[in-house]
């Protein structure tokens, strides 16, 4: 019974996030566990108890079992009998039970910002619903009012929250009033609107609290209220996952006069399918006249009529599943998506479980099924997209985005002919196309073309080729995550017993003669001064730091044995009293029984000077800048230093700040501990720090071990280790232009490129197989000599030379020409994302952990970061380890990101553009895009310069002979004159907008024009813009600024669709040739 319940716990979605599927989950549990079909009430009880125990109480299995086992036993005793055959569906259900499909009926309603005589609350008891009004006197606009509502939500049963904020400040009449009454009215209107936006934030907090308790949310405003367009309101709809139901008041008896009805267009955003289905589409039938709302009639129209209240309350009290035509548990399709073509036949079912992964395409097909069955925003759009239910545009489309569905056609393409998984790959192709459309509009998807153009077909073939490569990876993967619905938890939660085992001294690696390397000479002078001076390192003092700690990482005997080993190896020394100490614990090394000792130096790091970033640090973004070709691929060589941090000597002045738990001298000198014999007095004397004699140590009895090497866990250690390795590389003859890093030079690999990540060094050589065969010595032989002369001890088992396939920084290189995620990691991410879609309950820390894995691969294509927005707000929530319902918008963003996995397959053979594009924009002029023909070498040089922060470009001469303005930062003078730039298009802006928005939109227009030509796809290039902050946002891949977010996402979607790798540079306006008078006017060129 317990195992069956735990299976149910994985199948049930959380309340408020697809909660209308609770009964279906219980039914599935009954069928899988062999139990007879449960009665309606029993299904609801099982599902509700499961969700309540998991979401509200705790995620511990023992607590969940304690909460639900009594209900399971009660159901087994008689509640699971099937209903009588002649009993009508749903008959005899008592108040509080559910109807046919198992959604919780509303038993408690909290109405926000209503009048004291609100009819909705007054009529609620007639439908068995307890109601509570929050009126003007409760001051919901203040924190104390919000806290009161949150307390009401947290007490008692799950509650529905109905919010109807004052909408007067968002009325379109305010534009007329502002023109009549002038600045004083506008100032007061702005203040009242700020107050309204604050209340929207309070509403969001209440909605999320209600969802976490198993309730539902509803937000009502007039349909044409301008507040719906405010970013804060749009975020509320996105985060909470509300669907808009549009209806007219005349259908519910709203009167403009005793004789005439009033149109009164309303809109309710709701998370209950029954409410959506009851209201959506109840529009005016146009068979009657409307009167104008004036005076008291306008005031009364703000109150709900009894007909509207009964309609809403009946839906709240009714069964939870939507009727046909409403949003369902599997997918909630926006009413704006109008079906135009019948749904294609369903592809064969696939599964993410092990038996279906013999062919990797099955896993991609299963992911496509999981996405389209998800109640997230992107999932709903993907479901409609695959079903062919999205609106179609008439006419020919010259742009690459948006894309139409192509899956059914793709099955017959040569890439898929004869493949058993052709249908699954075709469905995944459509999901990828839908993801690009969604990213291009940030969810505001419009009509798609009726058919694919030639350039779109070319792009889809390229996407499908990458999906085939991904399927090959998945087929060979051996996942580390369990193949169950708890894969997300397995990836993001670590069992403390296995992740942080009790310390075992013999399982921790040590090298003899620790601290044999002096890294101080390798540091810049200012950093070398700091690390040798405690007064500079700890300028703020260390009075708040603990000076003595008791060991708590496992059996003390193991800790004593470890200290003995470390004293003999020279890793620690002994002092009487340390200036600061940190805890010591062990972490397990994945795949082995070995452990790694960690010194917890978080408090010491906080008290120390801010550590500088490690110089020339490699990451996946730098790897994607490498260049190769089919005839001259890249060959990888690697070196790894053995326990590198233990080899780096800590300056003596800082040792007393790196203390460890104290030990007794007698524990070190008496008896055999484990396999470590006792220390002799001579050994103890040799490990005492200067100033402490053996006699003083004997008198003290208690001594504190202090580190003599840079410990893992101190903020400065990574910078020190990276600086030492960088010094070794320079001594070996590697110059700055050969370093693989995200900013700066772009190493070709012809003369060798070097990537350094602390103790891990990898060398990339571009050469033909014949050239490699003729090499007499490996490329890293010089580095080996430098290591030997300095005394660096390599880890021989991790050294390799000239391999075409290798794992670099967690990224797999294939054949020296392609990069991709590791096969096991790719499959784990699919499993974890599918589990999150199935059951979106996790702590912010779990979501951050999973997002960190996703973002590590996003570094290979920075436009990916435009997929994420609300994710960053969710992972900052506190408490970080408390499980909660993951916001639907966050689930949608992660789902969107993983659905674009084909862009994680990076081609290193992409050539450089033979032109240099430049854009410019202004409110006075509009948009201008021009380009100059350049050699690939110059394009590459411009990209290398563009990737550096603060750099800019100059041209040979300025338009009209104007003098150059001084600019901060290094500049690169291009061998180009303004007249060499050809104006491709120019158009005046139709609307005024922020200058940054215009500049970013100009880039989007230019990319749209460039990608209309197929030969410009799958290239690298430099792109020059006339705004530093726009350049920075485009280079970063995302922007949180409302004025830039959409345009940056559009540029990113175009780069991903066209397989472009661009570096954006800054060309000052006086240098640009893009402000010429427009020679070509295009209707597509307009301000956003």
């Amino acid at each position: 019974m317990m195992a069956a319940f735990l299976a149910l716990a994985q199948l049930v979605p959380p309340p408020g996030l697809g909660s209308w599927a609770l009964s279906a989950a219980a039914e599935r549990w009954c069928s899988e566990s062999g139990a007879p079909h449960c009665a309606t009430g029993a299904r609801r009880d099982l599902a509700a108890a499961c969700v309540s125990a998991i979401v509200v109480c705790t995620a511990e299995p023992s607590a969940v079992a304690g909460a639900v086992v009594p209900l399971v036993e009660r159901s087994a005793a008689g509640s699971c009998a099937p209903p009588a055959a002649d009993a009508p569906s749903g008959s005899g259900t008592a108040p509080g039970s559910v109807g046919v499909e198992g959604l919780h009926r509303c038993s408690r309603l909290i109405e926000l910002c209503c009048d004291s005589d609100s009819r909705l609350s007054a009529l609620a008891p007639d439908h068995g619903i307890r109601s509570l009004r929050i009126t003007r006197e409760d001051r919901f606009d203040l924190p104390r009012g919000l806290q009161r509502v949150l307390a009401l939500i947290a007490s008692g049963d799950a509650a529905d929250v109905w919010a109807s904020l004052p909408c007067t400040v968002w009325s379109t009449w305010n534009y007329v009033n502002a023109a009549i009454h002038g600045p004083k009215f506008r100032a007061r209107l702005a203040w009242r609107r700020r107050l309204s936006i604050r209340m929207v934030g309070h509403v969001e907090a209440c909605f999320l609290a209600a969802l976490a308790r198993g309730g539902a949310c509803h937000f009502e405003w007039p349909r044409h209220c301008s507040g719906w367009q405010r970013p804060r309101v749009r975020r509320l709809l996105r985060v909470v996952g509300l669907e808009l139901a549009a209806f007219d008041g005349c259908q519910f008896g709203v009167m403009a006069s005793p004789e005439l009805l009033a149109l009164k267009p309303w809109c309710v955003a709701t998370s209950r399918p029954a409410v959506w289905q009851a209201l959506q589409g109840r529009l005016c039938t146009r068979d009657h006249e409307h009167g104008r709302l004036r005076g008291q009639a306008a005031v009364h129209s703000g109150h709900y009529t009894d007909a509207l209240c009964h309609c809403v309350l009946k839906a709240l009290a009714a069964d939870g599943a939507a009727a046909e035509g409403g949003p369902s548990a599997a997918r909630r399709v926006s009413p704006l998506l109008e079906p135009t073509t019948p749904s294609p036949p369903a592809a064969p079912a696939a599964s993410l479980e092990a038996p279906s992964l013999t062919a990797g395409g099955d896993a991609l097909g299963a992911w496509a099924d999981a996405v389209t069955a998800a109640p997230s925003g992107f999932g709903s759009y993907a479901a409609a997209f695959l079903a062919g239910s999205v609106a179609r545009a008439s006419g020919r489309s010259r742009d690459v985005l948006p894309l139409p569905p192509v899956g059914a056609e793709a099955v017959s393409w040569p890439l898929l002919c004869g493949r058993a998984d052709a249908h699954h790959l075709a469905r995944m192709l459509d999901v990828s196309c839908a993801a690009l459309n969604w990213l291009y509009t940030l969810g505001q998807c419009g009509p798609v073309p009726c058919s694919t153009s030639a350039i779109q077909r070319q792009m889809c073939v390229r996407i499908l080729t990458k999906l085939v490569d991904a399927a090959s990876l998945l087929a060979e993967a051996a996942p580390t995550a369990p193949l169950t619905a708890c894969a997300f938890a397995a990836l993001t939660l670590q069992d403390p017993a296995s992740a942080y085992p009790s310390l075992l001294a013999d399982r921790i690696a040590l090298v003899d003669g620790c601290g044999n390397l002096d890294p101080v000479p390798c540091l810049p002078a200012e950093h070398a001064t700091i690390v040798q001076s405690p007064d500079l390192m700890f300028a703020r003092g260390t009075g708040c730091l603990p000076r003595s700690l008791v060991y708590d990482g496992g059996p003390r005997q193991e800790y004593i044995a470890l200290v003995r080993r470390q004293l003999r190896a020279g890793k620690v020394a002994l002092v009487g009293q340390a200036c600061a100490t940190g805890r010591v614990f062990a972490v397990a090394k994945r795949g082995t029984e070995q452990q790694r000792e960690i010194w917890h130096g978080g408090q010491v790091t906080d008290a120390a000077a801010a550590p500088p970033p490690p110089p020339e640090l490699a990451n996946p973004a730098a790897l994607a800048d490498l260049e190769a070709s089919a005839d001259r691929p890249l060959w990888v060589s690697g070196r790894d230093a053995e326990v590198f941090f233990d080899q780096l000597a800590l300056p003596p002045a800082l040792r007393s700040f790196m203390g460890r738990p104290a030990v007794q001298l007698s524990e070190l000198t008496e008896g055999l501990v484990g396999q470590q014999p006792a220390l002799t007095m001579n050994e103890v004397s040799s490990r005492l720090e200067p100033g402490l004699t053996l006699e003083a140590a004997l008198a003290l009895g208690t001594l504190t071990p202090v580190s003599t090497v840079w410990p893992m866990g101190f903020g400065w250690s990574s910078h020190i280790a990276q600086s030492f390795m960088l010094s070794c590389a320079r001594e070996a003859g590697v110059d700055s232009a050969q370093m693989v890093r995200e900013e700066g030079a772009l190493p070709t690999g012809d003369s060798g490129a070097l990537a350094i990540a602390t103790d891990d060094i990898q060398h990339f050589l571009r050469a033909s197989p014949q050239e490699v065969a003729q090499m007499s010595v490996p490329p890293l032989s010089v580095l080996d000599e430098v290591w030997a002369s300095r005394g660096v001890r390599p880890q021989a088992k991790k050294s390799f030379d000239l391999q075409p396939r290798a794992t670099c920084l967690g990224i797999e290189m294939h054949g020296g020409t392609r990069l991709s995620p590791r096969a096991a990691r790719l499959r784990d991410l699919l499993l974890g994302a599918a589990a999150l879609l199935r059951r979106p309950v996790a702590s912010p820390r779990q979501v951050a952990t999973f997002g960190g894995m996703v973002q590590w691969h996003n570094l290979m294509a920075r436009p990916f970061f435009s997929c994420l927005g609300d994710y960053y707000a969710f992972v900052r929530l506190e408490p970080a380890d408390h499980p909660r319902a993951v916001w639907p918008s966050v689930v949608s963003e992660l789902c969107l990101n993983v659905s674009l996995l084909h862009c994680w397959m990076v081609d290193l053979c992409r050539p450089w553009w033979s032109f240099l594009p430049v854009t410019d924009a202004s409110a006075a002029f509009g948009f201008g895009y021009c380009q100059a023909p350049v050699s690939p070498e110059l394009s590459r040089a411009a990209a290398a310069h563009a990737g550096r922060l603060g750099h800019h470009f100059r041209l040979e001469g300025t338009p009209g002979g104007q003098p150059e303005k001084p600019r901060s930062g290094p500049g690169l003078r291009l061998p180009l004159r303004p007249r060499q730039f050809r104006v491709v298009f120019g158009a005046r802006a139709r609307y005024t907008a922020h200058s940054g928005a215009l500049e970013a939109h100009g880039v989007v227009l230019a990319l749209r024009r460039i990608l209309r030509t197929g030969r410009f796809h799958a290239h690298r290039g430099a792109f020059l813009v006339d705004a530093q902050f726009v350049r920075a946002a485009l280079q970063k891949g995302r922007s949180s600024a409302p004025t830039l977010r959409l345009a940056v996402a559009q540029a990113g979607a175009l780069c991903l669709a066209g397989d472009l790798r661009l570096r954006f540079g800054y060309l000052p306006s006086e240098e640009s040739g893009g402000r010429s008078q427009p020679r070509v006017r295009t209707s597509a060129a307009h301000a956003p």
Side-chain angles (χ1 to χ4, degrees), residues 3-20:
F5 164 69
L6 292 178
L8 173 64
Q10 297 297 336
L11 294 172
V12 175
L17 301 173
S19 55
W20 41 82

Side-chain angles (χ1 to χ4, degrees), residues 58 191 572 617 760 967 1047:
T58 178
W191 175 81
V572 299
L617 186 65
D760 192 5
R967 300 282 176 178

Side-chain angles (χ1 to χ4, degrees), residues 26 121 134 175 206 226 335 390 506 560 570 654 657 755 763 792 794 855 957 1013 1032:
S121 293
I134 302 298
Y175 297 110
C206 295
S226 62
V390 292
D506 293 336
I560 298 302
L654 296 185
F657 295 90
H763 182 274
V792 179
Q855 291 181 88
T1013 305

Side-chain angles (χ1 to χ4, degrees), residues 897-914:
N897 198 322
V898 176
S899 296
L900 289 169
L901 61 87
H902 71 274
C903 297
W904 286 339
M905 311 293 151
V906 177
D907 181 15
L908 300 180
C909 300
R910 288 175 290 187
W912 289 92
W913 274 341
S914 58

Side-chain angles (χ1 to χ4, degrees), residues 594-685:
Q594 297 298 306
Q595 297 179 353
R596 178 181 287 111
E597 180 213 24
I598 300 296
W599 178 76
H600 195 322
Q603 289 180 296
V604 180
T605 299
D606 292 340
E616 311 284 6
L617 186 65
N619 65 19
L623 294 180
D625 283 327
L626 293 171
E627 300 175 49
S629 59
D631 58 333
R632 302 186 73 231
L634 291 174
W635 304 82
V636 189
S637 304
R639 296 292 186 271
D640 196 355
E642 183 179 9
V643 199
F644 184 48
F645 286 90
D646 288 359
Q647 300 185 48
L648 299 173
L650 182 70
L654 296 185
R655 291 179 181 177
S656 63
F657 295 90
M658 311 296 168
R660 296 158 179 260
V663 298
Q664 298 293 322
L665 182 58
S666 58
E667 292 177 313
L668 301 177
T669 59
E670 297 176 3
L672 180 69
V673 179
Q675 300 180 3
Q676 294 300 315
L679 296 174
T680 66
M681 286 301 174
N682 287 336
E683 290 177 314
V684 171
S685 178

Side-chain angles (χ1 to χ4, degrees), residues 165 220 232 333 350 431 478 551 560 669 684 716 768 773 824 910 986 1020 1025 1077 1087:
L165 301 184
E220 177 270 316
R232 194 67 181 81
V333 181
V431 169
Y551 175 71
I560 298 302
T669 59
V684 171
W716 279 73
S768 65
R910 288 175 290 187
R1020 309 167 191 255
V1025 298
Q1077 286 294 327

Side-chain angles (χ1 to χ4, degrees), residues 392-447:
R392 298 299 183 104
S394 60
R396 185 171 65 98
S397 174
R398 300 179 62 189
D399 292 324
V400 294
L401 292 177
L403 287 162
V406 294
E409 176 188 352
V411 174
S412 61
W413 291 355
L415 272 172
L416 297 184
C417 283
R419 290 187 65 105
D421 55 1
H423 284 280
H424 300 316
L425 287 170
R427 283 177 59 79
M428 187 61 200
L429 172 61
D430 273 351
V431 169
S432 300
C433 294
L436 288 170
N437 292 351
W438 184 272
L439 179 60
Y440 185 65
T441 60
L442 286 182
Q444 306 301 312
C445 299

